[in-house]
Amino acid sequence: MDQVKATENVEESQSVMPQHHGLQKESIWLRPYAVRLSLKIATLRASFGHWIVSSYKAAAILILNTVILFVCFDLAARSSLKVGDLISSPAQQLVGEGKPREKVSYYSSQDWAERNWYEFRLSTKQRYYPYVGWRRAPFKGKTIEIDQNGVRLTPGADCSAKSFKVFTFGESSMWGTGSPSWGTIAANLQKGLEKLRQGPVCVMNFAESAYVSTQDVIMLLLQLRSGNVPDLVLFYSIGGDIAAAYQSGRAGVPANLDQIAARFERRQERSAFVDQLRSTYAYSLIDQLIGKLTIANPQQKAPAPSELATYERMGIDVATLSDLIVQDCLGNYKIVSALAQKYGFKYFFFLPPHISLGNKPLTPEEQEIKHKTELQAAYYKLHTAAYQIIERGFAKYQNFYSMVHVFDHYDSLIWIDEGHVTPIGNQVIAERMLDVIQARSSDEK
């Protein structure tokens, strides 16, 4: 048995040995290829690493050069803007928004007109203001000056502790679009009250472009809360409420509601990089150059009426919306009335005139303005309906006065667009307001 097993083991070992020798021979034969493959892999790894390092260095140099070039360009742009401000001629600088109202014939004889429209364009920059959304940023020019609180300054106002304080509220027509500082309604009230009263007079113009009546009331509340209590408050507004409702189909909301909501809800959020880019001198220079090329054709920027979202396109009834607008304004009137009793000031609400209303003999220019206004059918219908309701509904309120017919006896050009007038028109409006204030003061004695 042992011999048999030994024989089997020998046979098994003999059967295995040839295979082992074959593998050794095969390994020896493949070894040079394995070595070469390892060398190639090592070479590829080294080459790939070298490529990554080289690419990184190249990208870093490219980015660094780009940053250096941009910084140099930004510094050059800054110098260009500074030098341009110093050496540019007035004809090159005094560029307005390019709207038709800037070319109304009245301005051709006014040596301040070009500068006023130029400063108006520059002063439209806005910043956030608590509770009311926006006010203009501080600005100082020859025809327009705005303080740190976004209030357009009234020439001659003496706002000392013993002054007779008058607060005016409203949208762009009260703010004074189209007029220099000395030609606004507030400025004419200042001059008129100085003649009628003894002692210092302080007229503060809290109006702001596109404001609705609720924003006016909030501005008044903010002043009262701070201890700045007026003797007299004048409201001159309805156009802002109508325009905002025309846009959104809702009463009692601010202008451009959809855009404000989109920004707040981050639906159209700009990146932080874009915001930083917009703050550079390079961006300002390019924006200024593009502005000079395109500002002469503002019609290219404005969307056609058919493209705008309006109450009519939303399927909202004009009668319902106009009634809601009036109810909202009436609510604000009652709030101001209650505040007046609490704080001891007098108040008046004035319904502004409009080129499509009243019986003024219109000049050919004014007729063209009115015709263009009436072509905006949806806005014209809403505006007319709201005015009709408010004139009827507010007639019983003793502190409400309609100014719709204030220009009926003036043949000369007054209107520069459908809602704004020349400084002469502002003077007429201020005189009418002063007549109302004087008459009421006489009745109360």
Side-chain angles (χ1 to χ4, degrees):
M1 288 295 292
D2 293 333
Q3 290 180 346
V4 173
K5 288 182 179 179
T7 304
E8 289 177 353
N9 290 336
V10 170
E11 290 176 350
E12 286 181 14
S13 63
Q14 290 176 344
S15 65
V16 172
M17 286 300 292
Q19 294 178 4
H20 178 71
H21 287 303
L23 285 173
Q24 282 184 329
K25 290 180 181 179
E26 187 176 345
S27 298
I28 293 170
W29 181 77
L30 289 175
R31 189 174 299 165
Y33 294 99
V35 171
R36 277 178 282 188
L37 181 61
S38 298
L39 290 173
K40 286 183 179 180
I41 292 173
T43 302
L44 287 173
R45 285 177 177 174
S47 299
F48 184 68
H50 179 70
W51 179 82
I52 290 176
V53 172
S54 299
S55 299
Y56 178 81
K57 288 181 179 179
I61 292 171
L62 180 62
I63 293 171
L64 179 61
N65 287 337
T66 302
V67 171
I68 292 172
L69 286 173
F70 183 80
V71 170
C72 292
F73 179 66
D74 196 50
L75 291 173
R78 178 181 182 181
S79 300
S80 177
L81 290 170
K82 297 294 184 182
V83 172
D85 289 340
L86 292 174
I87 67 174
S88 294
S89 64
Q92 292 175 313
Q93 282 190 305
L94 306 185
V95 180
E97 293 182 312
K99 294 184 178 179
R101 64 190 179 189
E102 298 172 18
K103 301 301 180 182
V104 169
S105 60
Y106 167 82
Y107 293 111
S108 61
S109 61
Q110 308 300 320
D111 58 4
W112 48 263
E114 283 190 345
R115 173 160 291 279
N116 180 72
W117 286 118
Y118 164 70
E119 292 183 355
F120 176 79
R121 178 172 65 86
L122 297 183
S123 70
T124 55
K125 181 180 179 181
Q126 297 173 337
R127 66 180 185 181
Y128 172 75
Y129 197 90
Y131 302 106
V132 293
W134 68 88
R135 290 197 72 83
R136 278 174 166 81
F139 179 84
K140 185 175 179 61
K142 293 182 178 179
T143 65
I144 296 173
E145 188 171 354
I146 300 165
D147 70 10
Q148 293 296 319
N149 294 311
V151 176
R152 186 173 186 181
L153 298 182
T154 304
D158 182 354
C159 299
S160 59
K162 296 182 179 180
S163 295
F164 180 77
K165 289 185 182 179
V166 181
F167 292 174
T168 64
F169 295 95
E171 27 79 36
S172 55
S173 54
M174 174 58 86
W175 183 88
T177 296
S179 295
S181 297
W182 59 89
T184 64
I185 296 173
N188 282 285
L189 289 169
Q190 176 73 34
K191 289 179 281 190
L193 288 169
E194 286 174 354
K195 295 176 182 177
L196 295 173
R197 298 186 57 85
Q198 294 182 348
V201 175
C202 171
V203 176
M204 299 188 70
N205 188 358
F206 289 100
E208 183 56 272
S209 293
Y211 263 23
V212 298
S213 57
T214 299
Q215 287 170 302
D216 293 331
V217 173
I218 293 172
M219 283 301 299
L220 174 60
L221 283 169
L222 293 175
Q223 295 306 308
L224 295 175
R225 188 183 67 177
S226 70
N228 189 18
V229 180
D231 297 287
L232 176 64
V233 177
L234 306 178
F235 289 86
Y236 182 77
S237 179
I238 188 62
D241 294 80
I242 297 172
Y246 167 78
Q247 288 179 329
S248 64
R250 297 166 57 186
V253 298
N256 304 315
L257 178 65
D258 287 344
Q259 292 92 322
I260 295 172
R263 187 65 184 270
F264 183 81
E265 296 167 7
R266 301 179 183 274
R267 283 187 268 134
Q268 297 175 348
E269 184 179 30
R270 289 199 308 261
S271 67
F273 174 75
V274 173
D275 287 332
Q276 288 295 323
L277 186 63
R278 289 172 67 91
S279 67
T280 63
Y281 288 100
Y283 182 92
S284 298
L285 179 62
I286 294 171
D287 185 57
Q288 187 180 95
L289 292 173
I290 292 174
K292 288 182 178 180
L293 292 173
T294 60
I295 202 162
N297 298 296
Q299 295 83 356
Q300 295 176 357
K301 297 181 181 180
S306 59
E307 298 174 354
L308 297 173
T310 68
Y311 75 93
E312 201 170 54
R313 292 170 67 87
M314 300 173 193
I316 298 172
D317 179 61
V318 64
T320 301
L321 185 56
S322 57
D323 186 63
L324 290 173
I325 293 170
V326 174
Q327 291 302 314
D328 189 68
C329 293
L330 178 59
N332 286 326
Y333 177 96
K334 292 178 179 178
I335 290 172
V336 173
S337 178
L339 290 172
Q341 291 182 358
K342 174 66 176 179
Y343 287 91
F345 59 82
K346 296 179 181 179
Y347 69 98
F348 295 91
F349 278 71
F350 294 98
L351 181 65
H354 192 270
I355 196 169
S356 64
L357 305 172
N359 300 313
K360 181 190 182 302
L362 300 179
T363 67
E365 286 178 278
E366 291 174 327
Q367 290 174 6
E368 180 65 21
I369 294 170
K370 181 180 178 182
H371 175 67
K372 290 180 179 179
T373 301
E374 292 174 348
L375 288 178
Q376 302 175 35
Y379 179 79
Y380 180 71
K381 285 191 294 185
L382 180 63
H383 191 278
T384 303
Y387 261 72
Q388 289 174 347
I389 297 172
I390 201 168
E391 283 195 291
R392 291 197 306 266
F394 273 66
K396 61 183 179 181
Y397 294 96
Q398 62 175 355
N399 287 19
F400 173 82
Y401 295 87
S402 174
M403 308 279 276
V404 167
H405 297 282
V406 71
F407 300 133
D408 284 2
H409 303 294
Y410 290 86
D411 296 331
S412 60
L413 186 142
I414 294 290
W415 296 102
I416 63 172
D417 59 25
E418 69 275 8
H420 302 102
V421 299
T422 65
I424 296 173
N426 286 334
Q427 183 179 353
V428 173
I429 291 168
E431 288 174 352
R432 174 59 179 153
M433 289 179 172
L434 291 171
D435 289 342
V436 169
I437 295 167
Q438 277 188 290
R440 281 292 303 276
S441 297
S442 299
D443 292 342
E444 293 173 359
K445 288 181 180 178

